[in-house]
Amino acid sequence: DVKVTQSSRYLVKRTGEKVFLECVQDMDHENMFWYRQDPGLGLRLIYFSYDVKMKEKGDIPEGYSVSREKKERFSLILESASTNQTSMYLCASCRAPGELFFGEGSRLTVL
Amino acid sequence: GQQVMQIPQYQHVQEGEDFTTYCNSSTTLSNIQWYKQRPGGHPVFLIQLVKSGEVKKQKRLTFQFGEAKKNSSLHITATQTTDVGTYFCAGFSGTYKYIFGTGTRLKVLA
């Protein structure tokens, strides 16, 4: 079974802190994605990557950056966390365009 | 930019009643996928539709892709309590970007 593992299920950070969310997949997928999920807004794409060191902005990249140094790992970085970044963050991966496999999610609270 | 609208946002049904959720895209899609997210869980893939006018069935679930490949629906016949969750459509237009609808949260009353 494909497994997508997110490093933290729950995080509480303070405004201005730097936050790292890590995601690892074990099925050699080329494509990886970071979404945030908010009530009533569904899943919104922050960034995606279709290859190592390649990244593309999604619909809401402001305030976020990403890193993909290895194929299996895709990290989301909040350089200076703000309260409006309190959300559920979901990582996903897929091979060619097809079924997305999601991690369990990381619920971030910024105080 | 590309948008995928999904209605209704919420639906409460009595167990045994039918349920339908609809997705509409502002642009033509290459394919559309459907996902289910149980309360407290993460989205899980249900199905992918690729062809214009395609209809697929999974037991009590029927999925349709519109002729113009801009809309889709998911219909559940005779809902059960295990159907509870949020159903998302995700449109793909060939740019590695899956655009998710806002989701329909289904509650089934026993």
Side-chain angles (χ1 to χ4, degrees):
Chain A
D1 282 349
V2 174
K3 192 164 186 184
V4 179
T5 304
Q6 294 184 226
S7 54
S8 305
R9 289 297 305 274
Y10 301 95
L11 303 94
V12 179
K13 298 291 182 181
R14 297 207 173 273
T15 301
E17 280 192 84
K18 191 169 186 176
V19 182
F20 291 89
L21 299 179
E22 294 202 317
C23 176
V24 178
Q25 50 94 5
D26 65 358
M27 284 302 291
D28 201 37
H29 285 170
E30 292 84 3
N31 307 298
M32 297 188 74
F33 306 80
W34 274 106
Y35 289 90
R36 65 175 281 177
Q37 182 174 18
D38 301 287
L41 298 177
L43 281 72
R44 293 180 292 166
L45 182 63
I46 305 171
Y47 268 97
F48 66 99
S49 169
Y50 52 88
D51 202 351
V52 176
K53 297 190 186 294
M54 305 301 290
K55 59 186 179 184
E56 293 282 344
K57 292 180 180 179
D59 298 313
I60 51 165
E62 297 79 17
Y64 303 95
S65 61
V66 290
S67 172
R68 189 146 181 222
E69 296 295 320
K70 293 184 177 182
K71 191 174 186 179
E72 67 271 17
R73 188 180 298 270
F74 192 34
S75 300
L76 180 69
I77 304 149
L78 289 67
E79 292 289 341
S80 178
S82 63
T83 54
N84 63 13
Q85 292 178 309
T86 292
S87 186
M88 171 68 81
Y89 291 87
L90 289 163
C91 175
S93 73
C94 68
R95 197 174 299 283
E99 176 181 353
L100 287 174
F101 294 87
F102 284 87
E104 295 290 332
S106 298
R107 184 168 293 281
L108 171 66
T109 301
V110 183
L111 302 175
Chain B
Q2 182 185 0
Q3 290 186 330
V4 177
M5 304 303 295
Q6 191 172 351
I7 57 169
Q9 190 172 1
Y10 301 98
Q11 185 86 58
H12 294 181
V13 298
Q14 287 290 135
E15 190 174 20
E17 291 182 339
D18 292 356
F19 159 77
T20 305
T21 174
Y22 301 90
C23 271
N24 284 287
S25 170
S26 58
T27 59
T28 301
L29 301 170
S30 299
N31 64 59
I32 195 160
Q33 298 176 346
W34 285 90
Y35 291 80
K36 176 183 179 181
Q37 185 175 25
R38 294 183 187 276
H42 57 279
V44 174
F45 176 84
L46 293 175
I47 207 160
Q48 176 171 286
L49 305 170
V50 178
K51 299 177 183 176
S52 169
E54 189 169 15
V55 178
K56 287 188 176 181
K57 291 190 176 184
Q58 288 180 349
K59 296 183 181 178
R60 295 179 294 104
L61 278 60
T62 303
F63 304 84
Q64 293 189 334
F65 200 11
E67 294 289 343
K69 301 184 76 172
K70 295 179 73 173
N71 61 287
S72 182
S73 65
L74 157 60
H75 179 82
I76 301 178
T77 304
T79 54
Q80 300 175 358
T81 55
T82 53
D83 295 325
V84 164
T86 302
Y87 293 85
F88 293 98
C89 61
F92 181 73
S93 60
T95 58
Y96 291 99
K97 289 171 64 173
Y98 296 82
I99 305 299
F100 278 77
T102 48
T104 297
R105 182 184 290 181
L106 173 64
K107 286 194 173 181
V108 180
L109 307 173

